[in-house]
Amino acid sequence: MKQRINRIINQGRLKRLSKRLRQVNAWSASCRALSDEALQAKTAEFQQRIQQGASLESLLPEAYAVVREASWRVLGMYPKEVQVLGAIVLHDGNMPEMQTGEGKTLTATMPLYLNGLTGKGAYLITTNDYLARRDCEEMTPLFEWLGLSITLGFVDEPNYEYAPGEKKAIYAHDIIYTTNGRLGFDYLIDHLADGQEGKFLPPLNFGIIDEADSIILDAAQTPLVISGAPRLQSNLFGITKMFVETLKGEQHYDMDDKAKAIWLTDEGVEAANTYFGVDNIYDAPHFDLVRNINLALRARYLFESNLDYFVYDGEVVLIDRVTGRMLPGTKLQSGLHQAIEAKEGIEISQDMSAMASITFQNLFRQFDKFGGMSGTSKLGEKGFFDLYGKVVVQIPTDKPVERIDHPDLVFKDNVSKNEAIIERVCALHDINRPVLLITRTAEMAEYFSMQLFERDIPNNLLIAQNVAKEAQMIAEAGQLGAVTVATSMAGRGTDIKLADGVKELGGLAVIVSEHMENSRVDRQLRGRAGRQGDPGLSQIYISLEDYVVQRWGKSKLLEEGQLEKISSQGLHESQLFQRRVRQIVARAQRVSEEQGIAHREMGNEYEKSLSAQRDIIYEERDRVLKQWDVKQMALSELAREVFQRAYRTQDLNTEMNLRNYIYQHISFQYTGDVTDINLNEENAVVEKLAMLFEQRLAAQQRLIKDNYMFMRFVQKSILKAIDSNWIQQVDHLQQLRGSINNRQNGQRNAIFEYHRVALASFETMREAIKVDIINNICQSVATFDKKGDLVVHFPN
Ligand code: ADP
Ligand code: MG
């Protein structure tokens, strides 16, 4: 029923799109009739019309027709109607679902061209450097022929140092191919610039995200973090680990497996109070202790060795939740990694403080408009809509899909399953049919590869190669007799062309050794076969020992003793058992997907505070950077506000306190009188301080002489105050997130509590920024380096 409704909605959308497709088609004949020069001249003409107020929407039909014709002349490919449909959806800022091999790279050129005409930047964002570079190189001749500038968004060399102005030049191009990671880091770096000359990123105008589900659903919550100094290492990991080991479930703690949340019960809180000898661990001074208890609880009860991580060579190596892949070099944030290390009794590594961070989800929100494409968007539609308000339009394939997706083959355990898989690969190989065998983990890929070699079947093993190599190897998976063993993400984005004679054998056979944690990934894997109407097959093997079942499955069949009763033979003969196992696996996968969604929504909730605060701070920074007039900065008013607050909170009505205040905040050389005024009158004291401030300001100006340099000095002082406080705040919010826990302290809602504390700390930070601005201006020392550039030495 739901599927039928979906189909009807989709057909409605396609129908509206086809009207616009016809408008594009209507221009093709006249474009074909143009000479090369006349076709190329269209770009300048469009740009002029945009300047005269024409909307992109009104130009779309003709512009897309121009790109189609140019693509034919330059690349020898004429974008098909289904590609034009996808291109229209992208321009609307929505998400076309287009199968693997349908030509998404070429599809994207149409909206990139149209939006690139404005000169405000059009971005193609993909998952890795290799794909960005490959697609950029392939499409460069087309865009250059049409007269738009195009570039790769980064210099593809390890540890490349950008010269001043180099990034600005990159981002000045009409069209930019880059990756989500590169763009995200540049966004953060751009907002750490301490002068207009250090800024390089224009406002983000239009973007297209390739492999959108992987970037904006799966990775959306993984924040990009610019790390700063090593954090002061907590020495509580060991003791809190020992404490949580004394706890008894239900009595002392409660948890919600699905939401990955765990918290102490009232009795648990009592136990903690006794263990640590405090009145109430939730009292303010024990902030760090509570944080560490929570970390230790999560490490011990929510993270399972060999499911969530491995201990390898004395290190904790994470396992990707979605793909089951190992993630060497990736660490959990805010002390969680260290808590797991403590749990495992291995050496505790250094935790770095976060300096700036953003999730991809919020990065993409910075775009005026963005669309995304992938082969499996539909299964993520709810996510796309909830997070971004995007709809998914399923674009039909150019040719009907000929691939046969077989129902899952069922086994009782992994031993019998793996044997059957090897037999199957051998049988396919005997007739020279190419096979792509996909596993969840690198270990399993290695295992199969070895087993196949032992049977004299040469095979390509795709693990731990670099992406370029993987792409090259996967591209060859369609050769006669080729056997390729790979993990799920290997070679994504590269399509597999069939060699001569393979079609006759039935095309590529995709064999998957178990269900992945998300059915979207399963579908991507099946899509490896059957591109552009090729024949092919896909087959997933399942058993009750599969990872998804172990991780997420709950069933009587799995309970002790039950399984042993069935013999493998019996399983094969019993339709009932087969159906039960299929159900268990399917349910486990659904639980896993729901968990993924819950996790994402939770992360999204938490991110809201940070993101709102970041917007305010970044806006404020930009305002300061653009401000060229010291008078406009209203420093006197700011100083009065700071002094007034100080008077009320720091008892400046005594001579000693007032003198100290002046030393610490305005001038440590002050020798003048402070008793010439009535210290009990707030106004008099504030005015006095304000006057001293004006004197300091004037002294700084005399010292720096040059008006422009003086303005830069003030600007840097303000930015320094904003940044040093904001950097602390980012780190604080990250830690806070780890320390706020469900139902702690009187049943308050965790997220509500988090937002409340986050807001309070933001207000505190704003006051601290004001104080620091006045401090920096009064107490910094300005010097000039050899080149005559201003160097400011800040007081702290
Ligand atoms: P996707 O990203 O959708 O999986 P690609 O963009 O990698 O697919 O394209 C798959 C292949 O199809 C590429 O070799 C590409 O050159 C080719 N191709 C795409 N569009 C056309 C077209 N209109 N005419 C001919 N070949 C095309
Ligand atoms: Mg692609």
Side-chain angles (χ1 to χ4, degrees):
M1 182 63 187
K2 189 159 166 248
Q3 274 182 352
R4 237 189 81 210
I5 294 178
N6 268 339
R7 202 160 48 233
I8 292 170
I9 294 176
N10 201 58
Q11 263 156 12
R13 286 175 184 154
L14 283 173
K15 207 162 155 201
R16 260 167 281 148
L17 289 171
S18 65
K19 213 178 111 200
R20 290 156 81 194
L21 171 65
R22 282 198 295 278
Q23 294 170 347
V24 178
N25 283 340
W27 284 98
S28 28
S30 62
C31 285
R32 198 165 314 135
L34 294 176
S35 68
D36 283 359
E37 291 71 30
L39 191 61
Q40 287 170 307
K42 280 287 172 189
T43 299
E45 183 200 313
F46 291 143
Q47 284 168 332
Q48 202 178 16
R49 278 160 64 185
I50 289 169
Q51 261 169 15
Q52 288 160 355
S55 69
L56 292 184
E57 187 53 44
S58 69
L59 296 178
L60 184 147
E62 193 183 355
Y64 278 20
V66 165
V67 178
R68 276 175 113 183
E69 184 59 29
S71 165
W72 175 242
R73 292 186 197 182
V74 179
L75 304 173
M77 296 190 280
Y78 193 75
K80 297 169 184 139
E81 295 202 335
V82 288
Q83 290 176 307
V84 176
L85 288 175
I88 298 172
V89 177
L90 286 170
H91 175 72
D92 291 343
N94 282 320
M95 325 206 58
E97 177 182 270
M98 297 173 71
Q99 301 306 312
T100 310
E102 287 297 292
K104 291 188 276 295
T105 307
L106 189 61
T107 299
T109 58
M110 289 173 264
L112 286 174
Y113 173 76
L114 179 61
N115 288 272
L117 286 168
T118 61
K120 289 190 218 156
Y123 296 79
L124 190 290
I125 299 151
T126 183
T127 43
N128 63 51
D129 290 357
Y130 167 79
L131 290 175
R133 187 190 185 121
R134 182 196 71 182
D135 292 353
C136 180
E137 280 172 1
E138 196 183 336
M139 295 305 155
T140 293
L142 171 64
F143 288 117
E144 287 188 340
W145 194 87
L146 282 166
L148 289 188
S149 61
I150 164 172
T151 181
L152 196 58
F154 52 92
V155 177
D156 199 4
E157 285 172 30
N159 303 322
Y160 182 81
E161 297 251 353
Y162 291 85
E166 196 173 356
K167 281 198 174 170
K168 198 166 189 156
I170 288 177
Y171 283 105
H173 285 73
D174 298 319
I175 289 161
I176 296 149
Y177 278 66
T178 189
T179 70
N180 48 335
R182 297 272 188 177
L183 186 64
F185 276 121
D186 275 351
Y187 181 79
L188 293 174
I189 293 167
D190 187 67
H191 285 93
L192 289 168
D194 76 343
Q196 198 64 36
E197 73 285 347
K199 304 268 297 173
F200 53 84
L201 197 65
L204 296 174
N205 173 45
F206 174 76
I208 295 174
I209 302 165
D210 196 4
E211 309 286 356
D213 49 348
S214 128
I215 298 186
I216 69 181
L217 290 182
D218 301 341
Q221 288 312 319
T222 319
L224 286 173
V225 178
I226 294 189
S227 298
R231 198 197 304 279
L232 196 63
Q233 197 79 316
S234 156
N235 52 8
L236 295 169
F237 289 117
I239 188 157
T240 49
K241 170 212 164 211
M242 289 196 286
F243 164 67
V244 301
E245 280 172 0
T246 67
L247 298 178
K248 297 188 186 68
E250 288 190 18
Q251 185 188 349
H252 289 131
Y253 62 88
D254 227 338
M255 60 185 179
D256 178 350
D257 226 353
K258 237 166 125 188
K260 279 224 166 227
I262 181 165
W263 58 93
L264 292 176
T265 59
D266 289 348
E267 259 185 90
V269 174
E270 278 305 313
N273 291 342
T274 313
Y275 194 95
F276 294 101
V278 300
D279 283 344
N280 180 3
I281 52 164
Y282 288 125
D283 286 347
H286 309 309
F287 177 83
D288 245 7
L289 179 61
V290 171
R291 198 172 78 80
N292 273 274
I293 292 175
N294 285 332
L295 289 173
L297 277 171
R298 288 168 66 194
R300 177 153 181 90
Y301 300 108
L302 297 178
F303 284 82
E304 231 175 295
S305 180
N306 294 328
L307 283 181
D308 298 299
Y309 62 90
F310 289 108
V311 177
Y312 181 75
D313 213 9
E315 278 182 44
V316 168
V317 181
L318 299 178
I319 303 175
D320 185 290
R321 209 168 38 80
V322 177
T323 61
R325 227 186 180 189
M326 285 206 279
L327 301 167
T330 313
K331 287 177 119 192
L332 292 163
Q333 291 285 319
S334 314
L336 194 51
H337 209 85
Q338 284 71 21
I340 294 176
E341 288 166 342
K343 165 183 168 189
E344 294 295 337
I346 57 182
E347 198 182 328
I348 293 181
S349 62
Q350 183 67 54
D351 187 16
M352 297 302 215
S353 66
M355 226 167 103
S357 96
I358 190 167
T359 58
F360 289 124
Q361 188 181 313
N362 277 300
L363 175 67
F364 297 130
R365 287 222 178 96
Q366 312 297 324
F367 276 98
D368 277 348
K369 183 167 82 183
F370 76 88
M373 49 189 194
S374 100
T376 47
S377 322
K378 191 68 193 176
L379 291 167
E381 177 159 31
K382 187 173 175 328
F384 290 129
F385 193 79
D386 291 351
L387 296 177
Y388 308 99
K390 305 247 169 256
V391 298
V392 175
V393 185
Q394 288 175 297
I395 307 290
T397 51
D398 180 51
K399 296 190 185 120
V401 178
E402 299 286 340
R403 183 189 64 236
I404 302 167
D405 296 325
H406 292 282
D408 297 351
L409 278 177
V410 181
F411 295 85
K412 184 181 134 190
D413 52 29
N414 281 342
V415 173
S416 53
K417 184 180 82 172
N418 293 345
E419 256 168 40
I421 291 174
I422 292 165
E423 292 301 327
R424 181 75 172 275
V425 175
C426 291
L428 289 161
H429 183 69
D430 279 347
I431 59 160
N432 250 348
R433 188 165 172 184
V435 185
L436 175 59
L437 172 56
I438 301 172
T439 64
R440 195 178 60 80
T441 63
E443 290 70 49
M444 279 317 288
E446 272 176 322
Y447 166 82
F448 282 120
S449 173
M450 289 275 293
Q451 293 291 318
L452 290 166
F453 274 123
E454 273 178 22
R455 295 181 185 222
D456 291 324
I457 296 187
N459 61 83
N460 267 327
L461 174 64
L462 256 89
I463 53 167
Q465 272 93 4
N466 64 45
V467 226
K469 179 96 195 207
E470 281 187 358
Q472 188 198 337
M473 286 168 80
I474 207 100
E476 286 163 15
Q479 299 297 311
L480 267 179
V483 175
T484 311
V485 187
T487 49
S488 64
M489 297 304 268
R492 199 173 167 187
T494 300
D495 79 337
I496 302 176
K497 295 195 172 78
L498 300 183
D500 285 340
V502 171
K503 273 187 196 160
E504 290 69 27
L505 297 173
L508 178 70
V510 171
I511 306 290
V512 183
S513 77
E514 61 185 298
H515 274 284
M516 304 296 144
E517 276 199 83
N518 193 307
S519 51
R520 254 186 304 119
V521 181
D522 288 346
R523 264 200 66 192
Q524 271 154 30
L525 300 181
R526 291 190 194 276
R528 291 275 187 196
R531 67 180 276 281
Q532 300 181 0
D534 284 347
L537 77 81
S538 76
Q539 171 86 70
I540 302 180
Y541 283 68
I542 60 177
S543 99
L544 288 175
E545 288 179 356
D546 285 351
Y547 175 86
V548 270
V549 179
Q550 299 219 335
R551 188 86 174 86
W552 306 110
K554 277 205 178 70
S555 157
K556 284 236 166 56
L557 211 57
L558 295 174
E559 277 163 22
E560 220 44 56
Q562 288 283 332
L563 199 57
E564 278 70 44
K565 289 187 201 146
I566 325 163
S567 68
S568 287
Q569 195 56 36
L571 182 65
H572 274 287
E573 278 158 16
S574 163
Q575 288 292 321
L576 181 69
F577 267 130
Q578 296 220 3
R579 204 163 54 233
R580 295 255 335 253
V581 174
R582 283 203 188 103
Q583 275 168 0
I584 290 171
V585 174
R587 195 175 321 125
Q589 194 179 40
R590 221 163 32 241
V591 173
S592 156
E593 285 167 10
E594 280 162 11
Q595 200 274 343
I597 291 172
H599 193 76
R600 201 159 58 224
E601 281 169 358
M602 186 79 117
N604 189 26
E605 268 306 315
Y606 278 119
E607 176 73 8
K608 275 182 191 159
S609 274
L610 179 58
S611 134
Q613 295 185 9
R614 182 179 43 235
D615 287 351
I616 295 173
I617 291 292
Y618 281 5
E619 209 173 289
E620 187 61 26
R621 276 190 115 262
D622 284 344
R623 207 178 58 83
V624 174
L625 281 170
K626 290 198 189 107
Q627 192 58 263
W628 294 108
D629 184 356
V630 176
K631 283 199 203 72
Q632 299 277 326
M633 295 183 185
L635 294 173
S636 308
E637 288 83 344
L638 182 74
R640 278 196 175 74
E641 190 189 328
V642 168
F643 298 146
Q644 202 165 55
R645 237 183 114 79
Y647 184 86
R648 291 174 193 174
T649 54
Q650 299 179 39
D651 303 325
L652 299 188
N653 53 0
T654 70
E655 188 184 341
M656 195 174 79
N657 286 356
L658 184 57
R659 237 179 226 294
N660 269 340
Y661 185 84
I662 296 171
Y663 288 151
Q664 279 167 20
H665 296 276
I666 303 177
S667 166
F668 48 83
Q669 291 167 326
Y670 184 70
T671 51
D673 196 11
V674 294
T675 51
D676 53 342
I677 50 169
N678 181 352
L679 294 185
N680 288 320
E681 265 179 43
E682 178 181 301
N683 255 348
V685 176
V686 169
E687 282 314 311
K688 168 107 190 158
L689 291 171
M691 185 197 73
L692 292 176
F693 172 74
E694 299 294 343
Q695 284 173 4
R696 267 308 289 153
L697 196 62
Q700 294 281 34
Q701 183 157 22
R702 271 199 308 281
L703 214 74
I704 297 171
K705 297 193 189 85
D706 184 274
N707 269 344
Y708 168 77
M709 285 297 178
F710 177 63
M711 186 283 305
R712 290 285 291 121
F713 167 77
V714 174
Q715 202 177 51
K716 275 177 192 274
S717 298
I718 298 175
L719 290 176
K720 172 78 181 175
I722 295 178
D723 289 349
S724 54
N725 283 287
W726 172 239
I727 286 168
Q728 279 181 33
Q729 173 74 353
V730 169
D731 198 45
H732 175 69
L733 289 182
Q734 265 217 355
Q735 303 231 26
L736 184 64
R737 190 174 154 168
S739 73
I740 292 275
N741 226 323
N742 252 338
R743 303 186 205 178
Q744 86 180 23
N745 235 359
Q747 316 285 313
R748 247 180 296 183
N749 174 304
I751 298 224
F752 177 80
E753 183 64 10
Y754 171 83
H755 289 314
R756 192 185 64 77
V757 180
L759 181 64
S761 65
F762 186 68
E763 293 306 328
T764 312
M765 176 195 71
R766 294 187 96 162
E767 295 308 324
I769 289 177
K770 290 176 192 164
V771 171
D772 283 359
I773 291 175
I774 302 303
N775 263 6
N776 287 347
I777 288 175
C778 291
Q779 310 214 5
S780 298
V781 180
T783 58
F784 294 90
D785 66 12
K786 283 194 204 102
K787 283 188 282 176
D789 284 341
L790 177 71
V791 182
V792 183
H793 307 271
F794 293 104
N796 42 39

